[in-house]
Amino acid sequence: MTKEIMIEEIKKLKKEKNAIIVAHNYQNEDVQNIADFVGDSLELAKKMVGVEADIIVFCGVKFMAEMAHMLSSDKKVLLPRIDAGCPMADTITEEDVIKLREKYPEHTFIAYVNTNADVKAHIDICCTSANAVTIVQNVKNDKIVFLPDRNLGNYVQQFVKNKEIVLWDGCCNVHDKIRFEEVQEAKKSHENAVLIVHPECRPEVVKLADHTLSTGEMVKFVKETDAKEVIVGTEEGMIHRLRKEAPHITFYNAARNFVCPNMKRTNLEDVYIALKEEKYNIILDQELREKGKKGLDEMLKYL
Ligand code: SF4
């Protein structure tokens, strides 16, 4: 089947089955182009509340599809590639959180949404990179356990100096591998460019940045900035989205091979098969879904 025919088939199936396709900013270009909605984790979570469709095809990684199921349990949620996981989410298990809870009984547990459903079931409130600072600042406790991303946690700590924040030693291996020297080199090569980086990067890389932004905030930034050149310090799929939003700006990668293999697993054919065969259906047992949803509902109160 040619790409053009496949796109037509996807559109036909979508209509027949009353489906919506949503995609994370890091997805392949073809997948972003066929999606009804493209966004960061927070935007996608908000979109899931009250979405009008029978089927949600979630082009992202597994914890995101689980999140969609938690927030929209009356819909069928399909993850086109069941092997699209998140190594950061896998750095912490349910048992780890239970032990941490015993060690820090007075702390409020805040988890980045990049966690698996069984971990979400044991925390107090979720956050994304777009609202982590606001949530840590506003929870009514000065003692926080923040998990699983130590880089995002370190970033948050700069803005919340009056609170004790215990960090889990996890990270996104895609953002964490980006080195200071390489980003500094990119800055030297493009002296007039503004550098924007994601807070999942290491603290020394974040220090180099003109602005540290979630991917949703990056979209807002490029729509409003006067800058003509921007160096982008996050997964390179983001550049496709930014070019669409601000075609007058020249974008550069902050580093070579800034690619999340899990986000890149899904291609057009996977989306087509997912819709045709209605797979892979993400279903959590009711107790797990309800427990995990509490942390997401708490987060959504801060919008
Ligand atoms: S970019 Fe990092 S945090 Fe996002 S899905 Fe890939 S490994 Fe997980």
Side-chain angles (χ1 to χ4, degrees), residues 26 61 63 85-88 114 172-175 200 235 260 263:
Y26 296 160
V61 293
F63 77 79
C86 170
M88 173 181 338
N114 301 34
C172 162
N173 56 6
V174 177
H175 286 82
E200 284 173 19
E235 210 277 349
C260 173
M263 281 287 186

Side-chain angles (χ1 to χ4, degrees), residues 43-62:
E43 291 164 337
L44 294 171
K46 283 196 283 185
K47 186 79 186 167
M48 290 307 103
V49 181
V51 65
E52 286 186 12
D54 295 323
I55 294 177
I56 300 165
V57 181
F58 207 113
C59 304
V61 293
K62 192 157 172 246

Side-chain angles (χ1 to χ4, degrees), residues 7 9 15 26 92 106 122 218 236 256 261 291:
I7 289 170
E9 288 298 314
K15 208 168 172 190
Y26 296 160
I92 188 160
E106 293 178 355
H122 293 276
M218 287 180 182
E236 64 181 42
R256 283 174 291 280
K291 282 186 175 171

